[in-house]
Amino acid sequence: MRSLVQDLRYALRQLLKSPGFAATAILSLACGIAATSAVFSVVWGVVMNPYPYAAPDRMVHFALGGATAGGYYPVQLTSTQWQQLRQVPAIEDTILLSFKRMTITGSDLPEDVQGSQMSANSFNFFGVPALLGRELLPSDAIDGHDPQPVVVLSYKFWQRRFNGDPTIIGKIIQLDHQPYSVVGVTAKRFTWSDADVYLPMKIVPGTDSNEVEARLKPGVSHHLAEQQMQGLITQFEKETPRNFPVNPGPLTVIGLNDQFMKAIGPSLALLFGAVLLLLAIGCGNVSILLLARGVAREHEFAVRAAIGASRVRIVRQLLTEALLLSITGAALGVLLAYKLLAGIVALLPEYSFPHEAAFAINLPVLCFSVTVALLTGILFGLWPALRLSRPDVREAMQTGTRKVAGTVSGRTLHNALIAGQIALTLLLLSAAGAAVQSFLKLAHTRLGYDPHHTMSIGIPLRESAYSTLTARLAYVELLRNKVAEIPGVNMVAISANATPPNNGLNTPIELLGQPSSQDRTARLNFVSEGYFPLLKISLLQGRLWTEAENHNANTVAIINQTLAHKYFPNGDAIGHSIQMVALKNAPPYVTTQPHAGDWLQIIGVIEDKLDDGLKNPVVPEAFVPYPLAMWQYTQFLVRTDGSPTAMLHTIAQQIASIDHDQQIGAQVRDLDHWISTQPEYAQGQLLSWLFAGFAILALLLAAVGLYSVVSYTVSQRTNEFGIRMALGAPRSSVLELVVRSATTSVGMGVALGVLLSILLQKSLAHWATSTDQSAGPLLIAVAILASVVLVASGIPARRATQVEPMEALRYE
């Protein structure tokens, strides 16, 4: 124990004598470990521990394939069908859920509240105890009876609305003018459906449809569950066709985390690969520095061996110094990881990860970081320790011998380490360049509409207050006109489901005079006549419908250029008629005009705008007057003179002047921000920012490593350079000699890096849609790396030419 303390004290003194070496080694490790720890924390949160629920690996969603933009349509069942589903052998338990927009009343302005009505067994199903009070109990919602007026608040809503008041239990809050007693507050990580409040659901036989969640029995595969349930789902489709989409496709059982892994998994895999490269570069830097420092101390070890120091003591001393460096680097890296983690989480696409996920530098992450640090210290400290623990005492004591040329094996190893470091850095630089290039291309995609100075405001409509279509239309028109009166508001249009760049309801369409085809589909949008001029969408043929035609819900349609070219290749779309199958068999939550399913006459063709995300090609779409069909939720597009969101409070007051209980949607964004929240945009931004940051760090580490090696070479060959110049060699030849020795290892590294980049290019394109396959990023990466290499090697090389021959010959 005493000798260990002595080793630690001696190691600390040695490091303090060489602050530049110590700082460089510690920062090299800290950067690699900080990035690795932060990304590993995100991976752990999304992949390893995303949910606090009971047996989340067996919790599943039920969906019908190929009916929506995302490829799935959620299964919705009546309470009677749900009871039948509970008898399926593969299912251990299942719950019924219904999303409901509510309003907190009794305050100055109504507040939009996201409510989730749940069957009485739901909280037992989730298995997450409440933070305060209790959860919903089966006695709160007895089948066939009205549920108790109780509510459980979500943790975030409790914090936001009630400032985390611990005495909230038992208090009364008003939701839609009805009093509810607060019986509990959920745990912090219980965020199911991102609801603000959870209420008991009334279970009565009927045709109302609700979403279903289930937990499979242990050992039951998704495929087996699909086989057992498919017949029952087919039966339900025949019983309640309005609750199912047209051509619903087969049943698909989806794991709780499957869709999130599909959305963010490839990006996380790429980021984790990038930080492992960065960590390898950092560790390589430490190894280069340790080797250079060890060889420079060869004379010291020879002296120590000559006076009786054992090989074990020398090895232990060197390992102590290496471990001290690595553990210090790991500690600093973990501290830096906290800041980096917050930045990465802020860049994650909003709906690409479970909101229950807890992103933190937790125990597994700390263990990972400490393990990496220890392995780094052992692996990169052991080799020079073993090599230098048996010095050739006679040769090392002959001062000057090692300074003439150094050892061939030492220079070979340094060259190999530099080549590997350069190769990994080039690989990371080329990947970063591809990600940035792809993101810039995405950011400058032609939209086909003008999003500036425009925001989308959600308007939830209360079914109890505006239950008929006539009342609902009159109310929406009144609200729109009232908002249009506000000074600074240029235009207001209605966009029920048509806010780009990802919009519309997928539906099969029929063309008058042509046979039916299930492959003929289009995106259906419900808008007012002002939608097109507000977004500055160009009209190519025909005309727009008038305000009177909109008010009367005329059976007219405007189609985009893609639909016109695809189904009317002769350019004669104007005057033809189409029929929207979705309007003939509208779901129960949509109120339609009696003639909504009739043939719609095409009166105009507009220029294409993005309607299927930022990366996908434009798909056929059609626009119809919004009074043909209305949901309980619509949207206003508002164009203003200045920043639209700055007028949000004024707009809310204006709407409340019509109906004090009318709230606006909780999430209001201007369309520029709306674009930035698209998954492909957010993922591209995440990859480009982080890859660029990691690549810059890798470049700096590689430059430091190269500078260290060239400086080490210059110091080791001081005598040689003095002799050359004393014999008449020009300083330029010495400069060339130093640069050429560095160029060999750098050239090997560049060649290897280019080969790796080419080999991995296809894999990168497969794993991440935000990378580019052109040669441009690779060429730019080579140019940047070459410039940095010239600077890093040129500075010590120039220093070598400043050596005075007589001083070099006397140098010890």
Side-chain angles (χ1 to χ4, degrees):
M1 182 65 183
R2 185 175 179 181
S3 61
L4 178 60
V5 173
Q6 289 178 342
D7 286 342
L8 285 172
R9 292 173 59 186
Y10 184 76
L12 186 59
R13 287 199 304 269
Q14 289 295 316
L15 295 179
L16 291 176
K17 286 181 180 179
S18 305
F21 158 76
T24 303
I26 289 172
L27 288 176
S28 296
L29 274 179
C31 291
I33 289 177
T36 308
S37 299
V39 173
F40 185 74
S41 297
V42 175
V43 172
W44 182 273
V46 174
V47 180
M48 304 301 294
N49 184 32
Y51 300 102
Y53 309 127
D57 56 312
R58 293 189 280 120
M59 291 176 64
V60 294
H61 308 297
F62 300 133
L64 302 170
T68 67
Y72 295 107
Y73 187 98
V75 170
Q76 297 187 328
L77 304 179
T78 66
S79 56
T80 303
Q81 293 169 342
W82 172 60
Q83 296 292 356
Q84 293 178 258
L85 185 69
R86 301 179 76 175
Q87 308 305 315
V88 173
I91 294 178
E92 181 179 86
D93 197 7
T94 178
I95 59 174
L96 211 56
L97 302 162
S98 177
F99 180 79
K100 184 178 183 181
R101 287 186 174 272
M102 307 182 77
T103 309
I104 283 194
T105 49
S107 58
D108 292 339
L109 286 176
E111 180 180 344
D112 188 44
V113 173
Q114 317 296 322
S116 179
Q117 295 178 313
M118 316 174 82
S119 56
N121 65 324
S122 293
F123 276 90
N124 288 335
F125 174 87
F126 289 116
V128 180
L131 177 68
L132 295 177
R134 65 172 177 86
E135 311 96 349
L136 298 178
L137 301 176
S139 58
D140 293 327
I142 300 174
D143 289 359
H145 295 77
D146 288 333
Q148 296 296 314
V150 295
V151 63
V152 174
L153 309 180
S154 74
Y155 178 86
K156 288 184 179 178
F157 181 68
W158 173 59
Q159 290 286 331
R160 183 180 75 244
R161 177 75 186 188
F162 301 102
N163 297 317
D165 181 8
T167 65
I168 190 67
I169 305 301
K171 292 185 177 180
I172 304 297
I173 63 172
Q174 279 193 11
L175 297 173
D176 294 342
H177 290 289
Q178 298 298 316
Y180 287 85
S181 175
V182 178
V183 297
V185 176
T186 66
K188 187 174 183 178
R189 290 184 62 192
F190 187 97
T191 63
W192 189 265
S193 70
D194 288 330
D196 295 317
V197 295
Y198 299 93
L199 307 99
M201 176 187 289
K202 184 176 182 179
I203 303 294
V204 293
T207 58
D208 289 343
S209 59
N210 300 287
E211 292 191 18
V212 179
E213 303 293 336
R215 180 185 296 109
L216 303 180
K217 290 180 179 178
V220 174
S221 67
H222 291 187
H223 180 65
L224 178 60
E226 290 168 354
Q227 286 182 324
Q228 293 187 9
M229 292 175 56
Q230 184 62 66
L232 196 59
I233 296 298
T234 302
Q235 174 190 326
F236 294 159
E237 182 187 348
K238 295 177 181 178
E239 294 174 353
T240 53
R242 293 190 66 192
N243 293 346
F244 290 81
V246 180
N247 304 320
L251 174 71
T252 303
V253 174
I254 306 172
L256 201 59
N257 211 33
D258 289 355
Q259 288 174 299
F260 292 114
M261 287 303 299
K262 182 179 180 181
I264 198 68
S267 297
L268 291 182
L270 274 180
L271 286 177
F272 197 57
V275 295
L276 289 179
L277 287 178
L278 183 62
L279 182 61
I281 292 168
C283 292
N285 239 22
V286 174
S287 68
I288 291 169
L289 292 169
L290 286 174
L291 283 171
R293 179 174 168 79
V295 174
R297 295 171 65 188
E298 191 170 3
H299 186 73
E300 172 198 337
F301 296 135
V303 172
R304 294 181 65 183
I307 61 175
S310 66
R311 185 187 185 196
V312 172
R313 185 62 184 269
I314 294 175
V315 168
R316 192 175 68 189
Q317 181 62 54
L318 288 171
L319 276 178
T320 301
E321 291 182 22
L323 287 174
L324 187 60
L325 284 174
S326 59
I327 292 174
T328 305
L332 180 59
V334 171
L335 292 177
L336 292 175
Y338 280 95
K339 294 293 184 182
L340 183 58
L341 176 61
I344 293 175
V345 172
L347 286 173
L348 287 175
E350 187 174 6
Y351 296 107
S352 65
F353 64 94
H355 289 181
E356 294 91 338
F359 299 115
I361 307 295
N362 50 25
L363 184 60
V365 175
L366 288 174
C367 291
F368 175 82
S369 300
V370 172
T371 301
V372 169
L374 291 175
L375 289 176
T376 300
I378 293 172
L379 292 176
F380 295 107
L382 188 59
W383 193 92
L386 292 175
R387 178 178 173 274
L388 299 174
S389 63
R390 283 185 175 176
D392 187 329
V393 176
R394 185 179 60 181
E395 181 180 344
M397 293 297 288
Q398 294 174 358
T399 58
T401 302
R402 63 179 176 80
K403 296 171 186 162
V404 173
T407 62
V408 175
S409 61
R411 278 184 286 171
T412 301
L413 180 59
H414 276 92
N415 289 339
L417 288 172
I418 283 293
Q421 192 178 48
I422 292 296
L424 296 180
T425 301
L426 182 58
L427 178 61
L428 197 50
L429 275 173
S430 62
V436 170
Q437 185 184 50
S438 181
F439 175 67
L440 290 176
K441 181 180 177 181
L442 183 70
H444 292 88
T445 299
R446 186 181 179 280
L447 301 175
Y449 67 99
D450 181 7
H452 306 310
H453 301 293
T454 303
M455 65 178 168
S456 176
I457 301 177
I459 306 293
L461 302 175
R462 299 190 306 282
E463 185 178 5
S464 57
Y466 309 101
S467 55
T468 66
L469 182 58
T470 302
R472 193 176 295 179
L473 290 172
Y475 177 63
V476 169
E477 287 289 336
L478 182 60
L479 291 181
R480 179 178 67 167
N481 295 337
K482 196 68 175 177
V483 173
E485 295 174 0
I486 300 174
V489 172
N490 290 333
M491 294 184 68
V492 181
I494 292 174
S495 162
N497 68 331
T499 303
N502 199 334
N503 55 272
L505 172 68
N506 275 1
T507 176
I509 63 172
E510 302 289 346
L511 302 181
L512 186 62
Q514 296 189 27
S516 299
S517 172
Q518 293 185 359
D519 297 330
R520 192 185 295 130
T521 62
R523 294 281 179 91
L524 175 60
N525 301 276
F526 301 89
V527 300
S528 65
E529 73 286 351
Y531 172 86
F532 306 100
L534 185 146
L535 291 177
K536 300 181 181 179
I537 300 171
S538 301
L539 179 69
L540 300 179
Q541 288 181 268
R543 65 177 180 88
L544 304 177
W545 62 74
T546 65
E547 184 177 355
E549 289 175 314
N550 185 82
H551 180 76
N552 296 327
N554 283 21
T555 51
V556 294
I558 294 172
I559 62 175
N560 70 343
Q561 199 172 0
T562 295
L563 192 151
H565 287 169
K566 185 172 183 179
Y567 300 127
F568 304 99
N570 297 326
D572 58 347
I574 304 298
H576 282 76
S577 295
I578 60 175
Q579 189 177 60
M580 302 294 173
V581 177
L583 292 177
K584 295 174 63 177
N585 186 28
Y589 49 83
V590 178
T591 306
T592 61
Q593 298 282 0
H595 58 279
D598 293 349
W599 291 99
L600 306 170
Q601 185 182 28
I602 299 173
I603 62 171
V605 177
I606 60 166
E607 186 179 11
D608 280 342
K609 64 169 183 59
L610 296 186
D611 58 3
D612 193 26
L614 298 172
K615 295 182 70 70
N616 298 327
V618 174
V619 297
E621 64 177 338
F623 300 83
V624 299
Y626 79 89
L628 279 172
M630 287 198 69
W631 284 256
Q632 290 175 236
Y633 184 87
T634 191
Q635 290 174 325
F636 286 172
L637 290 179
V638 181
R639 179 174 287 276
T640 62
D641 293 327
S643 171
T645 53
M647 303 188 66
L648 188 57
H649 185 72
T650 303
I651 292 173
Q653 289 179 321
Q654 195 81 336
I655 289 176
S657 69
I658 299 295
D659 183 348
H660 188 269
D661 294 335
Q662 180 60 62
Q663 80 274 34
I664 62 176
Q667 291 185 332
V668 177
R669 299 187 175 105
D670 59 73
L671 295 198
D672 289 313
H673 188 214
W674 192 288
I675 291 171
S676 68
T677 59
Q678 292 295 304
E680 57 269 41
Y681 188 99
Q683 287 190 37
Q685 187 179 55
L686 172 74
L687 288 177
S688 59
W689 275 100
L690 293 181
F691 262 97
F694 295 156
I696 291 171
L697 276 178
L699 192 61
L700 291 174
L701 293 177
V704 169
L706 183 62
Y707 178 86
S708 301
V709 167
V710 177
S711 297
Y712 155 72
T713 302
V714 169
S715 66
Q716 294 296 299
R717 302 176 68 180
T718 302
N719 278 8
E720 176 190 344
F721 297 150
I723 294 171
R724 285 177 180 271
M725 287 188 288
L727 293 177
R731 296 183 185 275
S732 58
S733 68
V734 174
L735 179 65
E736 180 185 355
L737 185 65
V738 175
V739 172
R740 188 169 66 243
S741 65
T743 304
T744 303
S745 56
V746 170
M748 291 173 56
V750 169
L752 181 59
V754 169
L755 179 61
L756 288 175
S757 298
I758 294 173
L759 290 176
L760 294 178
Q761 194 174 56
K762 291 184 178 180
S763 298
L764 288 174
H766 171 74
W767 278 101
T769 57
S770 296
T771 55
D772 198 287
Q773 296 190 62
S774 64
L778 181 58
L779 296 176
I780 294 173
V782 171
I784 293 174
L785 188 59
S787 302
V788 172
V789 163
L790 285 176
V791 173
S793 60
I795 293 174
R798 180 175 174 79
R799 191 168 65 244
T801 65
Q802 306 301 318
V803 174
E804 290 297 332
M806 295 307 297
E807 291 183 11
L809 292 174
R810 291 196 303 267
Y811 178 67
E812 291 295 333

